[in-house]
Amino acid sequence: MDAFYASAEQASKPSLRGKAVIVGGIGPRGVVATASYEARVFGVHSAMPTAQARRLAPNAAYLTPRFAFYRAISEQVMGLLRALSPLVEPLSLDEAFVDLEAGGTAWDEESARLAGARLRAEIRAVTALTGSVGLAASKMLAKIASEQAKPDGLVLIEPGTERALLGPMSVRILPGVGPATGDHLRRAGITTVEEIVGAGEDEVVRLLGKAHGHGLYAMALARDDRAVVAERDTKSVSVEDTYDVDIHDRVRVRVEVQRLAERCVRRLREAGLSGRTIVLKVRRYDFSTLTRSETLRGPTDDPAVVREAAARLLEAVDTTGGVRLLGVGVSGLADYTQEDLFAQAAGELDPAGEETAAAPEVAVAEESAAGEWQWRAGHDVRHAEYGHGWVQGSGLGRVTVRFETPDDSEPGRVRTFRTDDPGLEPAEPLPLVPDGVRG
DNA sequence: TCTGGGGTCCTAAAGCAA
DNA sequence: TCTGTTGCTTTAGGACCC
């Protein structure tokens, strides 16, 4: 999907169409998740600090992500893909590999082009958004093709032309070559794919190590036989928070770690999983990051056990100077819950339900105290008199709403209310395409 | 005013067992 | 029993991806 989050917001909000839209973290330490193509003109791109984006594009619309909304669209698109083949490997909400040959949907260039073109039309009809298609003989090349196809296009790499296409391109297009490996290669005088080939496999392995070196050399030769894998088991579950200002108070650090442990376990249980290894992550004031982990004798999904392990791990970490991020994760997952003796003992000492019942109430109370939690910028609302709209901003006891729906062709009217206006309530996003037209 | 959140995979060191 | 080798597990860190 092209500039997925930003495009979805533009489709949902007519007043943003044709405008620079930036979706991402809005706080002082946020980063850009997606910038609309209009915003990219100003030099804004994903992973850029939002503060920097504001300097480059001060008049853009800044929105926090609405993942539930994007997920609903994503599921519609993934459904279209699964109609082409059972072998669909999602990479994220907006990207997936599809093995068209395994699905019997395509077997040569012509049938592939046809399937791709049809798919693009279906995506547009069902979601009102544009998607790009890359067609090629391997995952790596399909991915490169789809990047070349953006926005709103289709690119097919013809068999036999792969090496010539790849040769002059930067090493950075190869999967697994990020900033660090790119620098490493550049210091060895290697900046293009053909220079990797020219250096020879032994030299690349010497530079980058065995696994990485052999893999990368194969990619440079356009050799990639990785299969499309439909179902991949989750290997870990984690949650983390970056704080708007560094936390210096050790007691507060402990409290945050306990909260994160509980959130992590909630996610773990929702997925029907349990795990053996508890990981604590700490990013200090200077951005140095460290992790500490502890492996239990058996898998657990007990909040008390995870909280206690996380607390133990924290005691071995020096947080003087302040902490900018804390995280708690669980790995070594099992899809069953084997209660170990410690978990049971902890449960008996600490009456069951107390911690899980108390935590959400505290959270809700705090969000309410912070004020206007339900009037988050960009989120949908409904007003008894004016109908459906979305929050443009809120603060100081006021909330500003633009009343418009995805099928409006003109920007809607803006009105401001008190945050406690009895006629105003949070609402679900409206479908981008009227129900009757959906596939 | 630097640098999110959710993951995956790889490497290397250290401890331990065969 | 001593020593060296090998291999597995745990831990920590780093790179990369969207």
Side-chain angles (χ1 to χ4, degrees):
Chain A
M1 304 297 286
D2 306 320
F4 181 49
Y5 301 166
S7 299
E9 295 298 345
Q10 288 175 320
S12 173
K13 303 177 170 79
S15 55
L16 298 183
R17 292 174 195 164
K19 278 197 59 181
V21 173
I22 290 157
V23 181
I26 292 304
R29 288 173 169 176
V31 299
V32 175
T34 312
S36 72
Y37 286 95
E38 297 88 343
R40 293 182 197 189
V41 172
F42 296 99
V44 178
H45 56 81
S46 25
M48 171 183 283
T50 303
Q52 190 182 347
R54 283 189 196 278
R55 266 176 273 133
L56 294 171
N59 296 319
Y62 288 84
L63 304 172
T64 53
R66 295 189 291 161
F67 287 106
F69 177 48
Y70 310 143
R71 192 170 300 113
I73 300 171
S74 176
E75 277 162 15
Q76 290 183 299
V77 176
M78 296 297 170
L80 296 175
L81 300 185
R82 277 189 287 269
L84 299 178
S85 169
L87 280 189
V88 175
E89 179 178 335
L91 293 184
S92 60
L93 285 182
D94 77 321
E95 223 174 348
F97 290 118
V98 184
D99 190 330
L100 294 176
E101 213 172 302
T105 303
W107 48 91
D108 61 4
E109 192 187 321
E110 196 191 334
S111 54
R113 273 192 196 279
L114 196 63
R118 263 199 218 123
L119 172 65
R120 297 207 328 109
E122 288 169 353
I123 288 174
R124 188 188 280 271
V126 169
T127 68
L129 301 175
T130 62
S132 296
V133 167
L135 299 161
S138 70
K139 286 197 200 179
M140 171 181 71
L141 293 164
K143 170 119 195 170
I144 290 168
S146 82
E147 265 151 33
Q148 292 191 330
K150 282 178 191 191
D152 197 16
L154 179 152
V155 165
L156 180 145
I157 297 177
E158 293 193 33
T161 68
E162 291 99 340
R163 291 274 308 273
L165 175 79
L166 242 43
M169 298 177 111
S170 160
V171 296
R172 289 295 305 271
I173 60 138
L174 298 179
V177 181
T181 309
D183 270 10
H184 205 137
L185 290 170
R186 192 167 41 73
R187 279 196 293 274
I190 298 173
T191 58
T192 66
V193 174
E194 58 205 357
E195 283 165 355
I196 291 182
V197 177
E201 183 162 24
D202 290 352
E203 173 68 0
V204 177
V205 169
R206 195 183 61 76
L207 283 170
L208 304 178
K210 257 193 205 148
H212 207 177
H214 286 297
L216 202 60
Y217 188 74
M219 295 291 177
L221 289 174
R223 285 207 293 253
D224 170 25
D225 55 4
R226 295 171 300 162
V228 175
V229 182
E231 310 258 319
R232 311 183 61 176
D233 290 346
T234 302
K235 301 269 173 42
S236 66
V237 172
S238 65
V239 297
E240 61 186 55
D241 273 346
T242 293
Y243 301 96
D244 287 352
V245 292
D246 292 350
I247 302 177
H248 289 86
D249 178 9
R250 182 80 182 181
V251 175
R252 170 90 198 284
V253 172
R254 287 197 195 101
V255 170
E256 292 299 330
V257 166
Q258 298 296 290
R259 282 193 186 148
L260 289 162
E262 267 158 28
R263 261 167 60 195
C264 184
V265 168
R266 216 172 298 146
R267 293 251 317 275
L268 194 67
R269 299 183 78 133
E270 280 165 12
L273 297 168
S274 59
R276 271 187 81 202
T277 303
I278 316 304
V279 186
L280 174 73
K281 178 172 172 180
V282 178
R283 177 120 73 208
R284 292 191 268 226
Y285 65 98
D286 61 355
F287 216 73
S288 65
T289 306
L290 56 81
T291 63
R292 292 292 178 268
S293 64
E294 178 181 314
T295 300
L296 309 171
R297 296 152 68 109
T300 185
D301 67 348
D302 185 323
V305 170
V306 175
R307 264 186 323 193
E308 282 157 21
R312 274 195 301 278
L313 291 166
L314 175 62
E315 291 318 303
V317 176
D318 178 15
T319 59
T320 53
V323 156
R324 83 157 25 223
L325 169 147
L326 291 169
V328 172
V330 176
S331 61
L333 301 184
D335 57 1
Y336 56 93
T337 303
Q338 171 195 299
E339 291 296 347
D340 66 296
L341 295 173
F342 292 116
Q344 285 174 16
E348 283 158 20
L349 291 173
D350 204 2
E354 189 184 321
E355 68 277 354
T356 42
E361 282 173 30
V362 168
V364 168
E366 282 180 3
E367 284 180 35
S368 297
E372 291 122 26
W373 60 273
Q374 56 186 336
W375 312 128
R376 289 209 295 278
H379 286 238
D380 291 72
V381 292
R382 165 158 286 280
H383 190 272
E385 187 177 344
Y386 301 106
H388 192 96
W390 57 279
V391 176
Q392 274 206 326
S394 68
L396 303 173
R398 295 282 188 279
V399 51
T400 302
V401 176
R402 185 182 287 273
F403 289 98
E404 62 184 4
T405 64
D407 50 317
D408 289 329
S409 53
E410 297 290 313
R413 297 286 298 271
V414 175
R415 287 196 158 78
T416 296
F417 306 88
R418 291 169 50 109
T419 50
D420 58 0
D421 188 307
L424 200 61
E425 59 183 17
E428 290 298 308
L430 295 176
L432 300 181
V433 173
D435 267 339
V437 187
R438 270 148 103 182

